[in-house]
Every structure is written in C-alpha cells, then in structure tokens.
Amino acid sequence: MDLGISGRQAVVCASSRGLGRACAEALAGAGCSVVINGRDHEVLERTAAVLRDRYGVDVTAISGDVRDAAVREALVAVKPVDILVNNAGGPPLADFRDLSGEDIHAGLDANMVTPIALVQLVIDGMTERGFGRIVNITSASVLTGIAGLDLSSGARAGLTAFLAGVARKVAGDNVTINNLLPGNFDTDRQASIIVTTAERTGKDTDQVRREREAAQPAKRFGHPDEFGAACAFLASTHAGFITGQNLLMDGGAFPANF
Ligand code: NAD
C-alpha cells in the first residue's frame, strides 16, 4: 500500500534501537526523510548509515537525551516536521515503595513531560500546514497494572489523558494524535527484563525467554517491524480519520472483551 507520505519529514525520538528504530525504518521505507535520535552517538550513527543505505532517504542523526530541551530543539530544527514519533526509555522495574521522589520525577519527565514539550514545539506548524501525524509510544501498562511498572503506568496514562483533549482540538486541521501500546516485543529492553528475571529466579535466560513467550496468547514476542508498520500506517494519509486512539499491540495478552 502506498502510505501517501513519501517526501514528508519525520522526527522519531529514541530511535537508534528497538521500537523507535523500527518506526524510523518503516517511515523511511515509506519515503519519509527522518530525524533519528539516541544517547549513544556511535550506535545512532550506525543506525543512520543503515537507513540511508537501505532506503535512500535523508537521515539526520541528533545524538543526546530527548529529556534535554536543547536536544528537542535540535530534533525539530529540520523543518517542517510533518510526523512526530514520541519515545524514550521506560522506567526500570522497581517496587513502588522503593521509588524516591527523584525517581518519580525522572519517570514523569521522560514519559509525560518530554513528549508534551515536543508536541508543543510542532503542533502549530502542523495545524498551519493542514497536515500532521503524532504517534506516542506508550505501553500496555497504561491499560493494566504490571508489577514493578507502576511509574510507567502513571506517567504514560498522564500523557494519554493530557493529549486526548489536544487531539480533538487539532483534528479539524488534519492533525492526528494517537498512542501505540506495546505488549511484549523482542527488543533490548525485553532482553534486559529477561536477564533481571533470570537473576531473580535462578533460571537461565533461555528458559525465562521460553516461559515468557509461552505465556503469550500468540506464543511469541512481537517483532519490532510489526510495530513499525503500525506506526507508519497511523502516520499515513489513510489514517486521517483516526485520532485520540490507543492501539494495543500485545498478541492478545490483555484479556478484555472490548
Ligand atoms: P530499547 O531499550 O530496546 O530501546 C530504546 C532506545 O531508545 C535505545 O536506543 C535508547 O538509547 C534510546 N533511548 C532511551 N531513552 C532515551 C532518551 N531519554 N533520550 C534519547 N534516547 C533514548 O526499548 P524498546 O523496547 O524499544 O522500548 C521503547 C519504549 O517502549 C520504552 O519506553 C519502553 O518502556 C516501551 N515499552 C516497550 C516494551 C517492549 O516489549 N519492548 C513493552 C512496553 C513498553
């Protein structure tokens, strides 16, 4: 399917690896120029080189922490920004009793305040030009409590609620804001959860991985490219009538009827 966004400019935060990278790849594959970002300069440059080579599009690499206002300004400096994919690392697994005030503020900063600040930077340009697509990578933890991920749930639910009203305000200018909620995807974050669980339970990592996959209705983790494809669709011209929505991608793990 032609997504109708060839030549559009996309900014994808935290995209040197994992789900963010998969979104950047899918958008580059649809012909978008992409601005990518990550904290590790070398990894980011390697990702940029792969994207240029594979898709033949303009790729700008901005290294740095997306929580840093100067990094955010640099990310949106390549204008006009037609598509924004908000992403940042999630909080580490922790018992909520052990979270300090500082930890809680850091989680809110990464997963709520930072994406809102980026929306503030790009939204007026999008409404003026009559085209904009914003996709926020949140988490299945918005819908259901997950042990140790209470801060992820709280910060991302805050983002979701904050932007729900904004989405309705800008819908008339062909600007959409949607959230993608990953369940268990096969990324470095997943690998680090497997290592932590193996250490805690004394099992080996292969066994933990097999057990975690077997516990999914789909009997596997999601592939990052499946996630990227959904992101590119939400960013496409075809998705102009979809806004303020939360698309759960979890292979059936959340057992809701509706
Ligand atoms: P990942 O750790 O595999 O990759 C994250 C990438 O973002 C890395 O390249 C990292 O360097 C970069 N990054 C992290 N924090 C950053 C920051 N502050 N500024 C700039 N770059 C930053 O993670 P992932 O699995 O791709 O997850 C992406 C998001 O989705 C995270 O918020 C995660 O909590 C959430 N999530 C992931 C899963 C999953 O199964 N993978 C499930 C639910 C939620």
Side-chain angles (χ1 to χ4, degrees), residues 96 98-108 151:
F96 79 95
D98 299 331
L99 294 171
S100 66
E102 231 168 72
D103 295 334
I104 295 174
H105 280 286
L108 290 173
L151 182 52

Side-chain angles (χ1 to χ4, degrees), residues 14-20 37-39 64-67 87-90 111 137-140 156 182-185 187-190:
S15 48
S16 56
R17 297 191 182 111
L19 301 180
N37 155 252
R39 289 173 299 185
D65 193 316
V66 73
R67 290 172 296 182
N87 186 31
N111 299 130
I137 300 180
T138 65
S139 174
R156 299 180 203 271
N184 278 290
F185 275 81
T187 65
D188 289 354
R189 176 164 171 93
Q190 187 65 243

Side-chain angles (χ1 to χ4, degrees), residues 46-81:
R46 275 204 299 276
T47 301
V50 170
L51 294 191
R52 283 184 198 111
D53 191 46
R54 203 172 275 170
Y55 304 105
V57 296
D58 286 339
V59 179
T60 307
I62 307 286
S63 62
D65 193 316
V66 73
R67 290 172 296 182
D68 179 342
V71 171
R72 292 197 292 271
E73 291 286 350
L75 279 170
V76 302
V78 182
K79 290 193 163 57
V81 179

Side-chain angles (χ1 to χ4, degrees), residues 7-27:
R8 294 283 185 188
Q9 178 73 44
V11 172
V12 187
C13 306
S15 48
S16 56
R17 297 191 182 111
L19 301 180
R21 173 178 172 153
C23 295
E25 288 230 19
L27 291 166

